[in-house]
Amino acid sequence: MPTWWGRKSCKNNNNNNNSRGISTDRDIKSCGVVVVVDPPLTPTRAATPRCSREFANGASSSSAFSGFDSDSTEKRGHPLPRPLLSPVSIHQDHVSGSTSGSTSVSSVSSSGSAEDQSQLVVSRGHCDVKLNERVSPKLVTARPTSPLHQRLAGVVSLESSSTGRNDDGRSSSSECHPLPRPPTSPTSPSAVHGSRIGGGYETPSPSGFSKWKKGKFLGSGTFGQVYQGFNSEKGKMCAIKEVKVISDDQTSKECLKQLNQEINLLSQLCHPNIVQYYGSELSEETLSVYLEYMSGGSIHKLLKEYGSFTEPVIQNYTRQILAGLAYLHGRNTVHRDIKGANILVDPNGEIKLADFGMAKHVTAFSTMLSFKGSPYWMAPEVVMSQNGYTHAVDVWSLGCTILEMATSKPPWSQFEGVAAIFKIGNSKDTPEIPEHLSNDAKNFIRLCLQRNPSVRPTASQLLDHPFLRVHTTRVANISMPKDAAPRSFDGSFSLPTRESYPGRLSHDNYQRQPLSRAIKSPRENVRAITSLPVSPCSSPLRQLGPAYKSCFLSPPHPSYAFPGLDSGYNLAEFASSPFRMKKDTMIEPSSFRGQTPNTPLRSRLV
Ligand SMILES: Nc1ncnc2c1ncn2[C@@H]1O[C@H](COP(=O)(O)OP(=O)(O)OP(=O)(O)O)[C@@H](O)[C@H]1O
């Protein structure tokens, strides 16, 4: 069994043995990066009764997105409507790699400074707080409007640097004044519960009673344990992600920071293909995050249990992953750790992106130089830490995840950690693509795995790819959520027309198809998608593809043909397309506009 399968065994495990074979700093430095091997976790103390408080999201701060990069958002303003406010903001580029999972790697930035700072900056609304002392519990209750849980702040013990400055150059302040509370969104789960949004901290029960009941253990991640959970007030299931709070343990601090980052980010997001955040609580010794429960577990787990997926399943999952990514990227956020283990599946085959501990907001002034994620899924530019990187890293990782779904293994899994990193970063090779996949699938994967990130298509563009465009709506009785359909820039649904892709109308593999009917409206497009027949082979685009030979052919559905649009993609044409992703456009303020889906917030209450 390849060593990469053994990754779980080294997470939060005292027998932390770095199963990926990433052995020494020296080895990795030789290929341009520094790998920090996990130290074993400090054994956790026995749990004490909960004295739970949900994080207040309510402290108002105009820099609600400051957790991504508060500096730039404050200076430039955020063109999107202000999202729900975040309790804790963390300058993530300075996340330590030192205690992350065995596959987490910290690189040397272009400036030559390793990003393994153990001292972190927490930004609290308007003021960045230098938190290097444990704050007394009395102080916590005296400042109920603060968005940051004071006790957590004390435990995480954060400070920016010895200079007292954040890495963005702004002074840290040890003062933080109470902020007015913002109006709450009626659609927000937290608002309804009155626990997190705008309500300040929930009054802790003297008995330590929590409405969230912890159930069976689901698994360990790099940053904590996950349990099944139950909301005793609402009677709904949830997943509980838990990290022990141990004030003097560096690993615990790192885990807390990652979890806070996840809270911060997830609380801003609402999309059918992104796991929903319900709330969080800090007990005496534990930070718990309550998330939408996905009973199917991860794609990684399904692959392990049932083997590789068939192409229609890959198609369906990929489409949903991309819908989530397009939404995320539309909010200028990069996931940075897309892989089977971080993509959850529900019993109906609905897919949700999870594990936002690595995610990062991209701003006009920052490109990312940190080296985070899982090596086998990492884009070359991440491995090489060259010139920063952008949303394209997720597209590369998606390509790797498709290969993972098709073969049960990530690309280059035959290589040990350092060799794999070298292969990704220093070779010209691209991962092997299985022969059994259709031409559409192969073409799609090749587009994702282009070494030059600037020619990789964006997630939104990939949603229009024939591999996904022609699809079944039901795979094993799976209904495709309408939000997983191609989403146009303004959040409405649309299918591509000749006008939208002027440069992509030919491909050797496909014949020009006759036009049948024009799609009249985005709504109609959605209906056209969701009412398609089940057979994946009915596509007119597949008539010359290998899938035809091995599948039962059903007649083409009229709505598969689009006016003036050929079926295929031409890699060269795509690369020269004006629609291809350019780094500059990723950070243009104008690109921020209109990408927030205009679907109403879903109320997912536990
Ligand atoms: N919302 C959820 N619903 C159901 N299971 C979940 C949920 N979130 C996580 N899990 C499961 O819990 C386990 C640990 O998840 P976690 O996200 O902590 O780590 P991971 O993604 O496996 O690894 P890493 O953190 O290193 O990326 C996984 O098996 C995952 O499938």
Side-chain angles (χ1 to χ4, degrees), residues 8 18 51 81 88 149 277 293 347 357 387-388 446 489 491 500 514 535:
K8 295 283 176 193
N18 190 17
C51 174
V88 179
H149 196 294
Y277 169 80
Y293 176 57
N387 305 319
R446 274 187 216 111
F489 196 71
S500 61
S535 167

Side-chain angles (χ1 to χ4, degrees), residues 7-8 11-12 101-104 217-228 238-242 259 262 275-276 290-301 337 339-345 354-356 358 374:
R7 181 169 175 239
K8 295 283 176 193
K11 287 177 190 169
N12 278 359
S102 59
T103 55
S104 294
F217 175 74
L218 293 176
S220 276
T222 308
F223 302 109
Q225 281 77 41
V226 181
Y227 299 87
Q228 205 175 64
C238 68
I240 305 178
K241 210 165 193 177
E242 226 179 55
L259 207 53
E262 194 161 355
V275 76
Q276 187 68 40
Y290 305 107
L291 301 165
E292 183 175 7
Y293 176 57
M294 299 289 284
S295 61
S298 68
I299 282 179
H300 172 81
K301 182 179 146 241
D337 204 11
K339 57 176 180 172
N342 290 338
I343 299 165
L344 302 175
V345 187
D355 215 342
F356 284 76
M358 297 287 189
S374 310

Side-chain angles (χ1 to χ4, degrees), residues 539-555:
S539 162
L541 309 178
R542 291 183 168 244
Q543 289 181 11
L544 301 178
Y548 168 69
K549 294 176 193 139
S550 58
C551 297
F552 189 80
L553 187 69
S554 57

